[in-house]
Each structure stands twice: as structure tokens, then as C-alpha cells.
Amino acid sequence: MQGGLERATGEKMVLNFGPQHPATHGTLRIVLELDGESILKATPHLGYLHTGFEKLGEHLDYNQFIVVTDRMNYLSPLSNNFGYVLAVEQLLGIEVPKRCQYIRILMAELSRLADHLLWLGTAALDLGAFSVFLYSFREREKLYSIFEKTTGARLTTSYTRVGGVFRDLYDGFETDARDFISNFPKALKETHTLLTKNRIWMDRTKGVGPISADEAINYGLTGPCLRAAGVAHDLRKAEPYSAYDELTFDVPVGSNGDAYDRYLVRMEEMMQSCRLVTQALDNLPDGPVNVEDNKITMPHKSDAYGHIEGLIHHFKIVMDGHGVQPPKGDHYCATESPNGELGFYIVSDGSGTGYRIRIRPPSFLNFQALPHMLEGGMVSDTVAVLGSLNVIAGELDR
Amino acid sequence: MNEEKGIAEQASPLVLEKLAAHHSEALLAQRETRGRVGVVVRKEQAYAVLEYLKTDPELAYTYLVDVTAVDNSQMESELMQFDYARFMVVYQLYSYQGQCRVQVKVPVHENDLSVPSVTGLWRGANWLERETYDMFGINFEGHPELRRILMPDDFEGYPLRKDYPLRGRGERESFNFEKQNV
Amino acid sequence: MGLAKTHIQSGQGAAQTDGNIITTTIDKVVNWGRKNSLWPMPFGTACCAIEMMATLASKFDLSRFGSEAIRFSPRQSDLLIVSGRISIKMMPVLKRIYDQMPDPKWVISMGACASCGGVFDTYTLIQGVDQFIPVDVYIPGCPPRPEDLIDAVMQVQQKIASGAAPKGIEVAYE
């Protein structure tokens, strides 16, 4: 790299990378200042997908906002749903039944698989490995069918509710999930054979876009990017929410913090997610999936139609300005989404609508470290580093 | 609560103890609710407190989780609390060492919207502060490049302020789509 | 095929050339070619882009309909698929990309956000890209299923085969 700088002519060239570029996965834009092939300076520009989620949160009921969280990190909507309702529930001071906690973990881990699979497909596609894209989408389609049967939608699931989930798992979920989990390691092995020891893949990713552990912490990196730098931090272990403390899993850690390590960490995380899904299925308790509090969860349909109390409860929950009303105060709650720490800071004024809903997006802080990883490297590394960060524009810009 | 089991109970008061010992004049309020420790800090001493939280070897809040703000203009009780400070800048910190969180709030009056920037302490603060500036118009003094981040450069107004309407002030229709430097 | 309306020459001429002559108009041949080799330019911004990727990938496989040659350069493509939310900051980019595409060009507005803003009636979001660029086919859904996108591509194909002008040209001549 240093040699490249010396050889260069000293003339600067500015390259506009994005916002519409196949490797920017949507709407990222980086302005690169180049000297020959080396990157002198990288300036990311963002906001091309700014949608006003946080403003919208001030105008929607707590339950209505779940729909918005789907569209934030659209690779794994179920993790967002989970993180958001957990924050509201902690603000309310309620705890959901055990069965619900397990169902949420099941769905969150399956969507972590879906997220990492899509990351794998696109990151490999960016570096020219087209088959991996097709392989990972083959697996993702199987997950889509499980999600669709459970939630009614392939992508925008809106599955969780404050105080529970929209409905229980369908009959046959266990068979479907176990089928998938038993076949998945085989499918992942195919990818390992294609990439892990592949000379081209290693050359393109090893030592590319490195970041040290201290710098990663200083930049606020979280998730696989932080763990690849050697910090064994996972909120599922550090602050076990829901029923994560009843399950065993390992936290994979890298050592160099480069694109190759981020790849390996994510690959191993997928195996750990499989472990978690299997355990959750083994220990899935029976019982209700919603808290039994008519001020928080919807009454059963037959109650709403058949009894006056049921009808009133139903009416109170769906009416504007009623619904779930957390006490006055604020609360910050973070969960480990596939990309890192996904936090929700909710300020409540005691009404049915959030006073302020702040989303702490992992992609935003991960993307911020990009110039640090790129500068001094070669221009062709841009795509490899960007791919390895898995920046989701919907979450980045909100 | 089960969900907050992992938060180190013994570490939480340590922050408050140490802050009371070293920065008592800066503390306006403190509380511990739902397993989260929070302090409200005078703006003048905000940087010193944040620096202390980061560099003290026992506390070591080395990870800046989030910087944001809240516009309290429609919440009378909050607005009154700190002498009509309309905005509240909120910092979330995390310590890898103690595995615990602390929330630092800084009240900001409408007639003086400046807060010291913490980009010198955490590099991650750069974009977070830019976003807060973009959305609320809070001026972070000493920030290396305080300009809009999510909205277009020539955008007027601060969208997350309470007096800004949800559907905007007609920017969707009147925005100049030809002149934009693409 | 798209040549349904042409007919095999019969009579004297046919006898001389063993019935191997097909007469048609140049337009029909060109349209037939265009229809079966659409090169889409995916302008994917948000959730719909993920479903668009699913459409292109192994299970749904858009290449069965002759339009798998995804081109990220607008200068090489003739079908713009706008999939996802378009903010006021993004709109000039979209407009420029549309302008860079050579005529004739078709536009699919995929999903609720691109078509009308969807659930996001906020300060920054364009409430329908058809305010700025002409749209041929709208797809409802949030996001639409891959089958919906395939259906939309086939509707564009039918439109091309029918000889109707793209919406962009209609607008230009109005």
C-alpha cells in the first residue's frame, strides 16, 4: 500500500461512488479522493433513504409503530420488532410469558440466519462470486416460507405486539424449523468450500479494511464488526434479555478485524444461531403467548364479539389516544440485532403515543468507521470493505 | 425484572457515588429506574463529566452508545423541571469493564443552543452529533464539521423539533429537483 | 410468440420457397425482440429491493421471462424498476438516471412507497415517483411478492408487444 502511494503521480482524482451503484446495496454514497489506485480520503454521504421514522413514532400508537420497525433493517424485520416491543415492555414494567420469550428468540435467531445469509450472498456477489448468491437465496427462501406461515408475510412481518406476539406458532412449525436446521449446516458447508479457502476470496478480504479493538470501541462499532476486531461482546451474553440466559451458545471472536474475519465471525454466528434455535425448540414451554392484561393485549375475538367487557377492552386498545399507555418517563433498551446493538430510547408522556422514539441504529456507527478502514487502501477494496460491514440503508438513514 | 438480570447491580451506584464525590457541583439530578442509572448534568460541566466517565479507570465508559436530543416543549412537567430548558441532549454510555450503562442528560435552553462536542473523546460521536444538529439544531461547539447529515444541505428547519409538522412545510412539493448537485 | 398476427405466405410464392417466408412489419419484429430481452435497471433502495433480489435469485428466477440481464448502468438498460422509498434527497438521482436511459424505456414502480409513499406520509418522502417520472406499471404491496414483480414485467412485455408507446414517450409528445 505504501509503495502504491510512492509510485503515484501526486495528482488527485475524485471518484463518486454511489448513491446508485450495484455494490452500495441501495443508497450509500462515498466520495473517494484517489491518487492512482490508492485512497487518500473517503467521505461518506448519507440520508438518501431518510424516511422520518423517529418523527413518525411521535404520531403513532405504540403498537402501530411496530409496522415501521419492520422497514428499518429489512433483512431481519423480526429482530427489530423484538427490540422495539422489549423496550416498550420494559418501560411498562411487564414481562411476557415464557412461551412468548422462546418464540421471540426462535424468530430472532431465524431472522439472524436470514440476515447473515443475505449479507453473505451480496458480499460475495460484489466480489464476483455469483453462485454463493444463488445458494444463500435458496436457503433464505426456506426461511421466508417459515416466516410467512408464522406471521403471514415474507418480509414485513410485524409479528410481535406489546405484551406478546400476534399469534402462536402454527402446527408443524417445529417440523419445519427442525428440517431447516438439520439441512442448514450442509448448505453452509457448500459456501465454506466455495469461499473460505478460496485463493481469490482470501486475497480480496484478508488484511483488507482492518480495525483494531481499541479503535472499534472508540468508533462505537457493535455486532460482528466489533467481534471480528477481537472484543467478545454480545448483548445476549452481557445483558441477557428475554430468555437468552437459559440458553447456551458461544460468541465467535476474530483477531485481525479485517473483512475476512468479519466473514468468518458471521459464518460461525450462523452455526450458533442454529444451536440456539434447536435449544429453544427443545425447551419450548406451553402456555399463553400474551400477557393476561386487557389493558395491554387484545382480547380474544370471541370475547370481543360475545361479551361487553371484551368489546370495551378491544375498543380501548384500538382507539386513538387509548391503547397501551406506559407511565411517564424514559427508557433505553438495547438488543443484539444481526448487525449489532439496536437500541430504542423511548420517552413517554403517559399517553398512548410515544413522545420521542429514538432508534440507535448499528449500521450508522458501523458505517462511520468506513473512512478509517478505507484510507490508505486500494480503490478495489472499497467494495470488499463495504460488503463486509453490511450497512443497511433503511437502518442507517431511518 | 428478568430482562435486566444481567445488569451489574453493584456497579450502578458506583457511578453515582464517584460523580457525587468528584463532580457534585455539576449534578442537577440523578435517578435509578428500571435498572438504568441516569444523571442530569449542568451544561458548563458536561464535557468534564463525560471526560471523567470515560477516563476514570474504575468507571471506564469507553463506548459512546448514542447521542440524541429530546424537545420538551410539549411536555410541561419536563420543561419546568430545569428552568424551561427546551432541549435535553441525551448521551448513552456503556462500560465494557463494568458491563453497565449510564445515561447523561444535559439541559439546553432555546436561547443558547450550544453544547460542547465530545468528538475529541469518542470518534463515534462525530456523526451522532451531526445528526442531532440536523434534526434539532443543537450546536456542538468544537465539532470538526458540523453540517447536515441526513437532510439535503439546503434544507431549512429542524424536522424533529415539536413545532415542525410531520408532513413537512411543503418541501416534498417545492424542493428544487433540477438544481440539486447529484 | 409475438408474431401471432403475421401469416405464412401462401400461394405461388410459397410454392417457390417451400413455405419458409414470413411477412411482418419491422416494428413487430423489433418489438418482439425488445419484449423478450428487457434489460432492467434496478433502482433498489429499501425493502422492495430485497424482494427484487429474491425475484432474480434461484427460486423465482426472472430469467425465465427474458429479463435477467440486470444492468446497473442506465445507458444499457430499457426497464427501470423503482423499488423502495424515494426521499427528496434521492429524487434528483432517480430523475437523472431516468434521463440517462436511452429511448424507448419503460418504468415499473414497485411497491406502495414508490407508487404513493405507502405508510410513510412524512416530511422527506416523495409521495409517488409518478410526480416526476412517467410510470408504465405500478405494483401494489408492501413489499410486493416476487410473483407480483414477475407479473409486472410480463405486463410491460404485453405492452411492448401490443405496440403501445411507453408512457415516457406519450408524456414527451403531450
Side-chain angles (χ1 to χ4, degrees), chain A residues 61 64 313-325 352:
Chain A
D61 282 2
Q64 285 174 333
H313 288 314
H314 185 277
F315 180 79
K316 285 284 261 182
I317 281 177
V318 297
M319 266 306 281
D320 258 3
H322 295 265
V324 184
Q325 295 178 335

Side-chain angles (χ1 to χ4, degrees), chain A residues 69-83:
Chain A
T69 61
D70 280 342
R71 286 148 184 84
M72 198 164 60
N73 179 351
Y74 29 76
L75 304 191
S76 51
L78 285 153
S79 302
N80 306 340
N81 294 166
F82 186 12

Side-chain angles (χ1 to χ4, degrees), chain B residues 43-58:
Chain B
K43 192 169 84 178
E44 290 72 28
Q45 283 101 344
Y47 187 87
V49 169
L50 288 164
E51 189 177 22
Y52 174 73
L53 287 173
K54 190 200 165 189
T55 48
D56 185 84
E58 271 185 285

Side-chain angles (χ1 to χ4, degrees), chain B residues 120-173:
Chain B
L121 297 174
W122 295 279
R123 282 198 239 179
N126 189 325
W127 283 13
L128 291 167
E129 290 184 345
R130 266 177 75 187
E131 193 192 338
T132 311
Y133 163 74
D134 193 357
M135 292 292 141
F136 290 93
I138 308 274
N139 221 338
F140 289 91
E141 273 173 18
H143 190 285
E145 48 159 357
L146 197 64
R147 54 187 176 86
R148 287 193 178 272
I149 185 165
L150 294 179
M151 303 307 293
D153 287 335
D154 55 353
F155 190 82
E156 280 171 22
Y158 301 102
L160 280 180
R161 285 190 180 182
K162 286 285 175 186
D163 52 10
Y164 188 88
L166 173 66
R167 294 184 179 82
R169 293 178 179 142
E171 290 88 350
R172 292 190 306 209
E173 291 76 30

Side-chain angles (χ1 to χ4, degrees), chain C residues 10-164:
Chain C
S10 58
Q12 209 175 355
Q16 284 167 358
T17 54
D18 300 331
N20 284 337
I21 292 181
I22 296 173
T23 60
T24 180
T25 58
I26 291 282
D27 275 359
K28 277 195 179 126
V29 173
V30 170
N31 282 343
W32 172 78
R34 271 188 188 138
K35 164 186 167 228
N36 292 304
S37 61
L38 278 172
W39 284 19
M41 153 86 208
F43 194 85
T45 56
C47 337
C48 288
I50 307 296
E51 284 299 63
M52 184 168 63
M53 278 154 72
T55 317
L56 297 166
S58 23
K59 188 173 175 189
F60 292 95
D61 195 7
L62 195 60
S63 59
R64 294 176 294 160
F65 304 92
S67 58
E68 85 281 19
I70 288 288
R71 281 296 172 275
F72 284 95
S73 164
R75 305 223 186 257
Q76 298 173 344
S77 44
D78 51 5
L79 173 66
L80 177 66
I81 305 177
V82 184
S83 47
R85 318 188 274 268
I86 304 295
S87 69
I88 52 174
K89 203 169 175 180
M90 196 60 171
M91 195 60 224
V93 183
L94 175 59
K95 184 89 174 68
R96 175 168 288 199
I97 281 179
Y98 176 79
D99 289 343
Q100 283 174 342
M101 285 168 64
D103 275 326
K105 52 195 171 190
W106 292 267
V107 178
I108 292 177
S109 162
M110 179 183 183
C113 295
S115 303
C116 67
V119 291
F120 300 111
D121 190 2
T122 59
Y123 52 92
T124 169
L125 221 66
I126 298 293
Q127 304 292 301
V129 293
D130 54 1
Q131 296 170 38
F132 300 96
I133 58 173
V135 175
D136 291 277
V137 178
Y138 300 86
I139 318 177
C142 189
R145 295 179 60 89
E147 291 94 328
D148 291 331
L149 180 58
I150 294 175
D151 178 55
V153 170
M154 289 172 79
Q155 283 191 37
V156 170
Q157 289 179 339
Q158 280 165 15
K159 189 171 177 179
I160 297 170
S162 75

